Amino acid sequence: MNSWDGTTAHITVRNIGDEPQFMNTSAQYLYDTQGRKFEPEGNLGSELFLATLNPGQSASGTFTYVLSGAVPSHLELHDSMFSGGVEVPLR
């Protein structure tokens, strides 16, 4: 993650594998301090929105979350909807 501004994560992702990988934007979760899970809003202008990255290719973009007063704790980023993901703290 490049930066966090309270509701928006600015990130760059890179395909380090040996085959094309689809960037599933809806599998990039934010958890609040109560353990609730949030999905990002669709951002059609982001390079990451529904991107397919070939090996070695990277893309940058944003994920924006509507938190409705929730206090963010961490992001859980996935390379696919079936992966275990990686936890990225926001504090």
Side-chain angles (χ1 to χ4, degrees), residues 3-87:
S3 66
W4 170 254
D5 72 9
T7 60
T8 302
H10 303 266
I11 69 167
T12 299
V13 295
R14 185 170 155 251
N15 181 349
I16 60 171
D18 57 3
E19 60 186 52
Q21 184 69 37
F22 174 71
M23 179 68 189
N24 185 350
T25 54
S26 66
Q28 312 311 317
Y29 306 117
L30 178 140
Y31 286 85
D32 71 3
T33 55
Q34 296 178 36
R36 298 179 294 181
K37 179 166 70 172
F38 297 79
E39 287 186 6
E41 294 292 301
N43 181 352
L44 298 175
S46 174
E47 285 183 32
L48 299 175
F49 187 74
L50 302 178
T52 298
L53 300 176
N54 287 311
Q57 187 178 13
S58 62
S60 297
T62 60
F63 296 127
T64 300
Y65 299 86
V66 177
L67 300 177
S68 303
V71 178
S73 170
H74 64 277
L75 295 175
E76 186 179 275
L77 304 175
H78 298 261
D79 66 345
S80 77
M81 60 199 298
F82 304 110
S83 75
V86 62
E87 197 172 295

